[in-house]
Amino acid sequence: MSPDSFRNVWTIAKRELTGYFNSPVAYVFIVIFLLLNGFFTFMLGGFFERGEANLNSFFTWHPWLYLFLVPAAGMRLWAEERRVGTLELLLTMPIAPWEAIVGKFAACWAFLALALALTFPVVFTVGFLGAPDFGTILAGYVGSLLLAGAYLAVTVMTSALTRNQVISFILSVVICFFLILCGWEPVTNLLVRWAPDWFVNTVAAFSVMPHFAGFQRGVVDLRDLVFFGSVMVFSLFSTSVILRSLRGA
Amino acid sequence: MITVENLVKEFGPKKAVNNVTFSVQRGEILGFLGPNGAGKSTTMRMITGFFPPTSGRVAVGGHDLAEDPIAAKKLIGYLPESAPCYSDMTVAGFLGFAAEMRGLRGAARDAAIEKAVGLCFLRDVLHQSVDTLSKGYRHRTCFAQSILHDPDVLVLDEPTDGLDPNQKHEVRQLIKRMGEKKAIIFSTHILEEVEAVCSRAIIIDRGTVVANGTPAELKARSEVAGSVSLRVQGVAVDVVRSKLGGLMVAGRVHANATGPSVTARIFPRDKSVNGELAKAVAELTAKEAWHFDELHTEEGRLDEVFRAITLPDTVQAKEA
Ligand SMILES: Nc1ncnc2c1ncn2[C@@H]1O[C@H](COP(=O)(O)OP(=O)(O)O)[C@@H](O)[C@H]1O
Ligand SMILES: [Mg+2]
């Protein structure tokens, strides 16, 4: 990446983040994120009842939590540019379109990372109550961040498809839901009853669930990294194709 | 600075721009005229690299928009039609962002913003959020964004749309001043604006260029251009009509009585000798000792030319 590209990506990301924090949306989002995390971990996850010194009851819920929160955070990224017409301004600036795509994605991902980082009290809690493996916890956080990134990339793509944020939200929830279901155990257990193994395995390979599971066990597998990386690259590349076709009509 | 060759843009089966060719030099202000939906904005979007053309070529400062878009875009300042701004920022924040996108940093950035803010009268609203601005201010904020980097080429899509008369005047003056050193192209449907600001005008209708010339040349295409208007007092209409009709250089003559005076319009027999006509009419009034209180040669009217060449169907229907 040339220094110019890096600067352009940074300028766009900075603008996007300033935009977030200039409106109450960012603060509302973070508060809701933390409240829901607490609710799932301690109420539904039975954090205390389990009596284990780990964060499984915390991370287990992330695929479901992100299913709605990540599309909510990212739905405006391109849809709003299209609705207001600033897309025309942005794409006639002397930058490459991919720089704008990556800049926006990076800004929103950094914002999600911040929200995730603010869950640190749960780490203190588990550290105070027992002797957890902090390596496993770190791996869990890495996996969670990658999961959020994958969902976000999908949202960036759906956001470029429409000028309506609600449509963009619904489309990304549907796609992310599919990415969960196709490898979620209750569904694969159903599938194996009537489909051959190779088919079930192929479908499941597209799912975020098996790839996310490794991180929760503290295993950082290259294949899982490649999977999340591919989802992001593919979605962002699709975004650039969509943006180009918009202008080509 | 701007070269447009055989530009075509199709939206599905519809040709929004059809084989448009023109060029703009430094120091020129080109007015882009045409009725709504004529293809003005679409052409500008191709010049600024927002739309790739279906066919044809655009070059800005020698850089082909298709081959080296970034080099071309660096030279362009662009005010899109609806003057879009990021509404979740302050005016200063928005201009800061635009300056950084143009590669301006630190002191150069601050100086550029300072200058643009002065030129566009934005000082009062600098720290106000864009979404609380009135339309005129938002428009000028987007305008300021387009001149931040002192571009060689300015593309302005309806730069005075939605402004009050004072602001319109200010913006026209600004365009005129900047036009001395830049190549400017701006679209409008206000004809007086073209006369006040442009060194050249192009009229576009249904995607095609139908006229290209200086405002004076375009006006000369008007039906009344070169005719002489005369108002005399205390003479009978018939007398005025027959005497004027008797002039060697005169063609058609229209004369009507309005109260005590008679208004006449004399068309030249041959358009190329229209200087002669006014002289002949003046000599006639002197010889007949008519008391006249108006005598002048018509330059032609741009709105008439505009209507005649952009709506030929209705004009023909009226004449028939
Ligand atoms: N993105 C688009 N998709 C489809 N048709 C379009 C698009 N943009 C413009 N048009 C059509 O192209 C024609 C020219 O539009 P435009 O360039 O905006 O005209 P003007 O700016 O002269 O009013 C119009 O008929 C318009 O409906
Ligand atoms: Mg237009």
Side-chain angles (χ1 to χ4, degrees), chain B residues 241-255:
Chain B
R241 193 178 290 134
S242 66
K243 292 279 183 193
L244 286 171
L247 290 172
M248 279 287 291
V249 286
R252 266 179 310 140
V253 175
H254 296 303

Side-chain angles (χ1 to χ4, degrees), chain B residues 62-298:
Chain B
H63 304 285
D64 192 302
L65 251 295
E67 279 156 23
D68 195 356
I70 294 187
K73 286 175 182 177
K74 278 187 177 157
L75 301 176
I76 305 176
Y78 179 38
L79 171 64
E81 184 163 25
S82 55
C85 300
Y86 287 103
S87 53
D88 50 12
M89 304 180 96
T90 61
V91 172
F94 174 67
L95 292 179
F97 164 70
E100 283 178 26
M101 293 294 281
R102 297 292 183 175
L104 298 165
R105 315 265 141 177
R109 165 180 174 271
D110 297 343
I113 295 174
E114 179 64 27
K115 192 169 163 213
V117 162
L119 284 172
C120 298
F121 307 97
L122 290 170
R123 189 118 21 225
D124 299 342
V125 296
L126 206 49
H127 299 289
Q128 200 172 321
S129 169
V130 167
D131 60 4
T132 62
L133 292 180
S134 68
K135 187 170 177 194
Y137 274 109
R138 202 164 47 231
H139 212 94
R140 279 185 285 166
T141 302
C142 197
F143 194 177
Q145 161 277 135
S146 73
I147 59 174
L148 273 174
H149 51 303
D150 195 20
D152 285 340
V153 170
L154 262 184
V155 178
L156 309 169
D157 201 349
E158 306 197 1
T160 59
D161 184 49
L163 302 185
D164 68 37
N166 290 333
Q167 295 168 336
K168 276 194 168 98
H169 180 75
E170 280 158 14
V171 167
R172 280 176 206 156
Q173 293 307 312
L174 183 59
I175 293 175
K176 213 167 169 174
R177 248 181 297 139
M178 290 192 302
E180 289 162 15
K181 288 173 296 174
K182 303 182 192 300
I184 300 185
I185 162 166
F186 82 94
S187 72
T188 180
H189 38 241
I190 305 170
L191 294 155
E192 64 199 71
E193 201 152 77
V194 175
E195 298 201 54
V197 180
C198 299
S199 55
R200 201 152 54 85
I202 280 181
I203 303 181
I204 178 170
D205 185 31
R206 281 169 270 173
T208 321
V209 173
V210 289
N212 182 351
T214 63
E217 281 165 9
L218 293 180
K219 280 194 293 186
R221 292 174 60 161
S222 156
E223 204 177 328
V224 296
S227 68
V228 171
S229 298
L230 173 71
R231 194 162 72 219
V232 295
Q233 306 280 354
V235 190
V237 179
D238 294 342
V239 179
V240 172
R241 193 178 290 134
S242 66
K243 292 279 183 193
L244 286 171
L247 290 172
M248 279 287 291
V249 286
R252 266 179 310 140
V253 175
H254 296 303
N256 312 80
T258 42
S261 59
V262 174
T263 321
R265 164 154 294 156
I266 310 101
F267 291 87
R269 174 160 294 171
D270 176 0
K271 269 208 168 183
S272 59
V273 294
N274 58 24
E276 300 288 303
L277 183 61
K279 212 170 101 201
V281 173
E283 282 165 9
L284 180 72
T285 54
K287 195 176 102 205
E288 301 288 330
W290 289 344
H291 176 72
F292 69 89
D293 47 25
E294 190 186 317
L295 171 62
H296 72 270
T297 306
E298 289 281 353

